[in-house]
Amino acid sequence: MPRRITHRATWDAPAEEVYAELVDADHLRERLAELGGNDPALLEHAVDDSGARLRLRHSVPVEFLPSVVRRFTGDDLVLDRVETWTPRGGGGYDGTFEVTVRGLPGTMSGTQRLSDDGAGSVSEVEGQAAVSVPMVGGKIEGVVVEQVGNLLDAEDAFTRRRLARGSNGSA
């Protein structure tokens, strides 16, 4: 049975500013270098007035994985992630995400939303992880959801630091 993924973050900046940071190529490369594990990559970066399509590769080093996951991956847990964003009429952005996990018969997918909220903004991610492995699929889904939650928290912290200093790197 698929596991639910939910994540919410509040920002001290308007949605338009947070979005610009989240889809900025330099931001993505720096974030991957810091948080992407072994051999991270920004594989696709397409941003224009109609929205964004991003394709990234992350990994979780094998030493941080329980044996039930290592049995299938044999090495690092490699996540191939595709995100889309579209401006919403009236402000804010809607998007989707899809993640495939190399070596595991499963996926994660869902929606993401970035909206103005008072003087700042809020981002929300909702989706599910499904791993179709008899007897241990649920346990693997739990590990994957936990790792994705940790990654999203770390990405939020990274983005907050960049927003605080300005995306050009000045303090």
Side-chain angles (χ1 to χ4, degrees), residues 9-29:
T10 57
W11 304 94
D12 292 332
E16 185 174 9
E17 187 177 333
V18 175
Y19 169 78
E21 188 67 34
L22 290 174
V23 301
D24 177 76
D26 290 336
H27 166 94
L28 292 165
R29 285 185 193 101

Side-chain angles (χ1 to χ4, degrees), residues 1-155:
M1 178 162 201
R3 296 275 177 118
R4 185 177 155 105
I5 299 166
T6 60
H7 182 79
R8 186 175 196 274
T10 57
W11 304 94
D12 292 332
E16 185 174 9
E17 187 177 333
V18 175
Y19 169 78
E21 188 67 34
L22 290 174
V23 301
D24 177 76
D26 290 336
H27 166 94
L28 292 165
R29 285 185 193 101
E30 286 180 30
R31 190 180 80 191
L32 284 165
E34 183 174 315
L35 304 172
N38 299 321
D39 195 30
L42 176 58
L43 303 168
E44 180 180 352
H45 180 260
V47 179
D48 61 27
D49 291 341
S50 66
R53 178 178 164 84
L54 313 169
R55 195 164 57 97
L56 310 109
R57 180 180 57 232
H58 312 260
S59 68
V60 178
V62 66
E63 60 265 22
F64 297 112
L65 300 173
S67 62
V68 67
V69 175
R70 284 194 307 261
R71 190 169 38 164
F72 290 94
T73 63
D75 201 356
D76 295 349
L77 182 69
V78 179
L79 307 170
D80 292 307
R81 171 173 159 186
V82 175
E83 290 186 30
T84 64
W85 288 102
T86 305
R88 186 178 339 115
Y93 302 85
D94 292 322
T96 62
F97 69 91
E98 186 171 325
V99 179
T100 55
V101 183
R102 291 190 199 166
L104 290 176
T107 62
M108 287 177 280
S109 61
T111 60
Q112 48 194 10
R113 186 173 184 92
L114 177 61
S115 305
D116 285 319
D117 185 38
S121 57
V122 62
S123 58
E124 299 169 294
V125 173
E126 292 186 12
Q128 65 180 18
V131 177
S132 56
V133 176
M135 310 223 341
V136 295
K139 183 171 182 138
I140 295 171
E141 288 168 358
V143 170
V144 170
V145 168
E146 178 184 356
Q147 291 296 326
V148 168
N150 293 341
L151 176 63
L152 292 172
D153 287 341
E155 288 178 350

Side-chain angles (χ1 to χ4, degrees), residues 149-168:
N150 293 341
L151 176 63
L152 292 172
D153 287 341
E155 288 178 350
D156 289 350
F158 178 88
T159 301
R160 284 181 211 300
R161 289 192 308 271
R162 287 241 338 167
L163 286 168
R165 68 181 174 143
S167 44
N168 65 4

